[in-house]
């Protein structure tokens, strides 16, 4: 008799191998001296602020915005016991770190931090780096939720002032301006002014220090349907909570969209952008976007 259902599609057998290969790739790229500047970062307060702690189940989760993080935070909030189910968590509580019962790793003492980094199950999620930047741009500067006015009123004008080629234009921030800012080797002085808002577009390296912290699993947005259950199982919490249903098609890499966004942008600007995010492409096995560079 042939077993039916998705569970037997080979994914369960295949999954541990996929995740071993991802971690092996990561370790190899971390050791590549040519990429050292792009793959290494200090485990600073900025990084420790990104990592959420579930002591009850010994889990650390590094937040990489624009990759379905809200859902993982909900999973951890429930595991920490602040709410009994994901449906019960009010949306405004998820990111309210006073009320959601999810401490950041930075709130512990150095010895407590060390202990958790070495003993706990640690994971984060990535997606194609350029697609993530498009998502951040759309979310923060095009749709711009009203409860985050600073993206439109402070950050966008700051980028436009420095990077817009044609100053007489009065349009809001364009993707081209955004790309120029991100690809500028001297982007840091603006980043400092923008503060923690930059978490939506800085590299995964800067957010999670993947070459310094020995992560247990790295999930990919593009394979989240398989990765989410695998992570819950690997963390030993699959019997307690499940990842919210993923709407169909939402995690698929959209090459056409990426090409459309980059179509009007100069090769020089694209190459500079890639130079900054190259570590993210290489560490997590994303192919260099040849359609953009040649």
């Amino acid at each position: 008799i042939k077993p039916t259902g998705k569970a037997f599609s080979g994914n369960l057998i295949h999954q541990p191998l996929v995740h071993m290969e991802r971690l092996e790739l990561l370790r190899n790229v971390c050791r590549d001296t040519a990429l050292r500047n792009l793959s290494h970062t200090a485990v600073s307060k900025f990084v420790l602020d990104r990592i959420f702690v579930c002591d009850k189940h010994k889990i650390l989760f590094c937040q990489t915005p624009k990759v379905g993080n809200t859902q993982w935070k909900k999973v951890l909030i429930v595991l920490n016991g602040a709410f009994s189910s994901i449906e019960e968590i009010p949306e405004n509580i998820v990111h309210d770190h006073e009320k959601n019962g999810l401490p950041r790793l930075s709130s512990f003492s150095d010895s407590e931090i060390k202990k958790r980094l070495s003993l706990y199950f640690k994971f984060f999620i990535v997606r194609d780096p350029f697609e993530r930047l498009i998502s951040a741009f759309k979310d923060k500067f095009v749709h711009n939720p009203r409860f985050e006015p600073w993206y439109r009123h402070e950050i966008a004008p700051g980028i436009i002032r420095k990077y817009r080629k044609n100053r007489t234009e009065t349009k809001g921030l364009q993707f081209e301006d955004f790309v120029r800012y991100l690809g500028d080797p001297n982007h840091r002085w603006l980043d400092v002014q923008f503060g923690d808002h930059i978490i939506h577009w800085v590299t995964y390296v800067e957010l999670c220090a993947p070459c310094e912290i020995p992560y247990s699993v790295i999930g990919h947005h593009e394979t989240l349907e398989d990765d989410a259950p695998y992570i819950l199982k690997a963390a030993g919490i699959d019997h307690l909570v499940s990842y919210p249903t993923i709407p169909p098609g939402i995690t698929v890499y959209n090459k056409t969209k990426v090409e459309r966004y980059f179509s009007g942008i100069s090769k020089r600007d694209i190459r500079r952008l890639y130079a900054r995010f190259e570590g993210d492409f290489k560490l997590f096995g994303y192919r260099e976007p040849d359609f953009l560079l040649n």
Side-chain angles (χ1 to χ4, degrees):
I1 313 159
K2 272 181 95 166
T4 53
K6 190 159 168 38
F8 295 101
S9 63
N11 286 342
L12 290 181
I13 304 151
H14 182 54
Q15 278 263 289
L17 195 62
V18 169
H19 289 281
M20 271 168 51
E21 284 168 355
R22 283 180 191 171
L23 292 173
E24 196 177 355
L25 172 71
L26 177 75
R27 283 193 292 268
N28 289 335
V29 176
C30 289
R31 282 197 292 264
D32 181 346
T33 45
L35 284 170
R36 191 160 175 87
N37 295 347
L38 288 164
S39 59
H40 288 264
T41 194
V43 183
S44 59
K45 181 179 185 301
F46 181 76
V47 170
L48 297 171
D49 274 345
R50 311 279 76 81
I51 299 177
F52 293 96
V53 181
C54 173
D55 275 333
K56 200 170 166 188
H57 299 279
K58 297 192 166 41
I59 295 168
L60 299 179
F61 167 62
C62 183
Q63 182 188 17
T64 50
K66 297 287 139 294
V67 196
N69 282 277
T70 301
Q71 308 293 23
W72 285 111
K73 280 170 99 171
K74 288 179 183 172
V75 166
L76 295 180
I77 289 167
V78 169
L79 287 174
N80 264 351
F83 292 86
S84 53
S85 79
I86 284 175
E87 294 69 45
E88 280 172 44
I89 307 171
E91 283 304 319
N92 57 332
I93 294 278
V94 180
H95 301 297
D96 183 336
H97 298 115
E98 313 298 296
K99 299 196 182 122
N100 65 16
L102 254 195
R104 296 169 189 265
L105 193 52
S106 54
S107 66
F108 295 87
S109 70
D110 285 355
S111 61
E112 291 291 319
I113 290 170
K114 259 201 184 68
K115 193 175 82 183
R116 285 167 177 75
L117 282 174
S118 66
L119 299 175
Y120 282 21
F121 177 88
K122 300 170 285 294
F123 77 102
F124 67 101
I125 315 291
V126 296
R127 75 190 285 190
D128 176 87
F130 280 1
E131 197 167 43
R132 172 186 163 232
L133 293 177
I134 291 170
S135 175
F137 172 76
K138 272 168 58 180
D139 186 39
K140 299 302 174 197
F141 300 107
V142 180
H143 303 149
N144 186 239
R146 22 163 231 299
F147 55 86
E148 298 181 318
W150 49 85
Y151 288 102
R152 189 165 280 173
H153 297 303
E154 291 161 37
I155 294 181
I159 296 174
I160 289 168
R161 267 196 305 276
K162 184 154 165 54
Y163 296 104
R164 178 153 299 172
K165 285 265 164 73
N166 178 0
R167 290 298 162 80
T168 54
E169 270 182 26
T170 51
K171 295 196 294 240
L173 186 74
Q174 300 297 296
F175 190 60
E176 184 180 16
D177 308 319
F178 189 52
V179 165
R180 219 171 268 138
Y181 148 59
L182 293 174
D184 180 0
N186 304 312
H187 58 86
R188 298 222 184 267
W189 73 272
L190 265 189
D191 287 357
V192 171
Q193 293 169 43
F194 297 158
D196 270 5
H197 301 309
I198 62 172
I199 63 172
H200 295 279
W201 53 79
V202 300
T203 62
Y204 298 132
V205 168
E206 292 165 277
L207 291 170
C208 297
C211 289
E212 283 64 40
I213 295 173
Y215 285 95
S216 322
V217 176
I218 292 158
H220 282 227
H221 186 66
E222 294 81 4
T223 52
L224 200 55
E225 282 90 343
D226 294 332
D227 289 1
Y230 176 83
I231 289 167
L232 296 175
K233 202 170 158 57
I237 51 174
D238 53 324
H239 59 296
L240 297 169
V241 67
S242 55
Y243 189 83
T245 311
I246 302 163
I250 200 160
T251 60
V252 180
Y253 173 68
N254 187 337
K255 187 174 173 177
T256 319
K257 179 179 75 184
V258 178
E259 285 177 334
R260 193 177 71 241
Y261 266 83
F262 280 98
S263 63
I265 294 174
S266 79
K267 289 286 182 261
R268 188 201 82 143
D269 288 342
I270 295 172
R271 274 196 288 270
R272 286 182 121 182
L273 181 71
Y274 180 73
R276 173 157 179 218
F277 286 86
E278 188 181 6
D280 282 1
F281 277 93
K282 296 268 199 317
L283 286 162
F284 307 110
Y286 288 103
R287 286 196 33 226
E288 179 178 313
D290 43 6
F291 60 89
L292 301 177
L293 297 171
N294 310 332

